[in-house]
């Protein structure tokens, strides 16, 4: 209920500090303006209209999504200029065609000639063009055609020469920044990815092709390098919530993390020197398990506690050392978890409780599915 305290919520509950969200969004906008590059924020972390409005400054334009469900959800609510930045799945071409025919700008991504052939075989109505981004792998090691492969240039040429299709841009996601520690390492990966993409753009230019370019991840866009000004766009997303992982990489400080999971003590287990809490992986996700000295999350204000393990609906908490003082944690005690990976944690929740200074101001309901 609006106006009440978050501490009155039934647990487990995900709470979002709207003031921190707005600050994170504003800083990223200002940072991109400072560099001189267009920000195209990714929606995958929160998947909500309210947060999308904050990230786009209310324009409801120029976003990236990771699923077609997100694309449809945002399109149904007046968003446009949407880039579906996922190698176009063969079972979803018809749905992508419908969005391309409906929106003023719906963009897809591919990294294989077979996908291009699929688009060629499904011309859009009323002379519309498929707007296609070529996905490059610049060291991330996930989707994309390797930037240095001659096939990458050949595919770009094929896209630009195919009837009914336009080469809109070249897209590289520098997810390898997630292996970094500190600004120097982050910027080295950001620079390398930028350089690879700019070199590719030069090769395109040499064969008479010009199009946009985009790189990004939350670490690289939190600490951009100057050469990113030569790109058309950047596409970070997690920065709006941040998380413990980002603070360890060096993207942000813990004070920038906008999300928490509230949980309560539901059991005392003196025979194991443990507490039980009502948050298992269904409320936090298992992402990050074993990556922190404090276990699966940080327990705010209790550096002496570790979230040792989780089953679906239970968490086991133990002291970092020594004997647990159970009188300090009576049943019902509220504990606050700072998630390791906010995208994964958010995905576990059907609703986010939004607050300002601990008082509820609303609820955000994310879209789900693919
Ligand atoms: C293709 C793609 N683009 C952009 C992003 C956004 O990056 P980040 O989560 O680091 O903000 C992601 C994140 O996984 C992604 O997979």
């Amino acid at each position: 209920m609006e106006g009440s305290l978050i501490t009155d919520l039934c647990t487990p509950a995900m709470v979002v500090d709207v003031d921190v969200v707005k600050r994170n969004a504003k800083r990223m906008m200002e940072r991109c303006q400072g560099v001189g590059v267009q920000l195209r924020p990714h929606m995958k972390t929160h998947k909500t209209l309210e947060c999308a409005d904050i990230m786009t400054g209310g324009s409801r334009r120029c976003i990236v999504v990771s699923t077609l469900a997100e694309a449809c959800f945002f399109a149904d609510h007046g968003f446009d200029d949407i880039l579906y930045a996922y190698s176009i799945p063969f079972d979803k071409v018809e749905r992508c065609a419908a969005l391309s025919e409906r929106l003023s700008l719906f963009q897809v991504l591919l990294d294989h000639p077979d996908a291009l052939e699929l688009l060629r075989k499904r011309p859009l109505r009323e002379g519309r063009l498929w707007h296609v981004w070529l996905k490059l792998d610049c060291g991330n090691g996930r989707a994309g055609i390797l930037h240095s492969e001659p096939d990458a240039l050949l595919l770009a040429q094929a896209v630009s020469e195919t009837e009914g299709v336009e080469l809109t841009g070249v897209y590289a996601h520098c997810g390898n920044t997630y292996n970094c520690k500190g600004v120097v390492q982050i910027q080295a990966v950001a620079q390398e990815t930028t350089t690879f993409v700019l070199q590719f753009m030069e090769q395109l230019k040499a064969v008479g092709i010009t199009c946009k370019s985009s790189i990004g991840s939350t670490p690289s866009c939190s600490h951009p390098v100057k050469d990113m000004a030569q790109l058309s766009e950047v596409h970070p997303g997690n920065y709006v919530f941040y998380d413990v992982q980002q603070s360890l990489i060096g993207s942000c400080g813990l004070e920038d993390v906008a999300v928490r999971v509230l949980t309560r003590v539901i059991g005392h287990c003196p025979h194991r020197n443990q507490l039980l809490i009502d948050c298992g992986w269904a409320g936090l996700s298992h992402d990050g398990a074993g990556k922190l000295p404090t276990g699966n999350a940080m327990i705010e204000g209790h550096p002496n506690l570790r979230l040792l393990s989780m089953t679906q609906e239970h968490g086991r908490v133990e002291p970092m050392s020594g004997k647990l003082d159970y009188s300090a944690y009576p049943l019902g005690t509220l504990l606050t978890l700072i998630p390791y990976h906010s995208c994964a944690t958010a995905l576990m929740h059907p609703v986010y409780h939004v607050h300002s200074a601990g008082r509820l101001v609303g609820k955000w309901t994310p879209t789900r599915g693919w």
Side-chain angles (χ1 to χ4, degrees), residues 110-111 161 241 245 300 357:
L110 58 77
D111 60 5
E161 285 161 12
F241 282 176
Q245 176 176 216
E300 195 164 33

Side-chain angles (χ1 to χ4, degrees), residues 339-361:
Y340 177 78
H341 186 189
S342 58
C343 306
T345 297
L347 208 47
M348 312 309 284
H349 289 262
V351 67
Y352 316 150
H353 301 276
V354 183
H355 72 96
S356 174
R359 287 213 177 262
L360 292 170
V361 294

Side-chain angles (χ1 to χ4, degrees), residues 294 299-306 320 328-329 333-336:
T294 54
I299 305 180
E300 195 164 33
H302 296 273
N304 57 320
L305 294 182
R306 166 171 38 223
M320 299 290 276
Y329 304 101
T333 300
L334 195 78
L335 293 175
T336 302

Side-chain angles (χ1 to χ4, degrees), residues 237-251:
N238 172 279
Y239 69 89
V240 77
F241 282 176
Y242 282 125
D243 48 35
V244 172
Q245 176 176 216
Q246 297 287 356
S247 80
L248 293 175
I249 291 168
S251 312

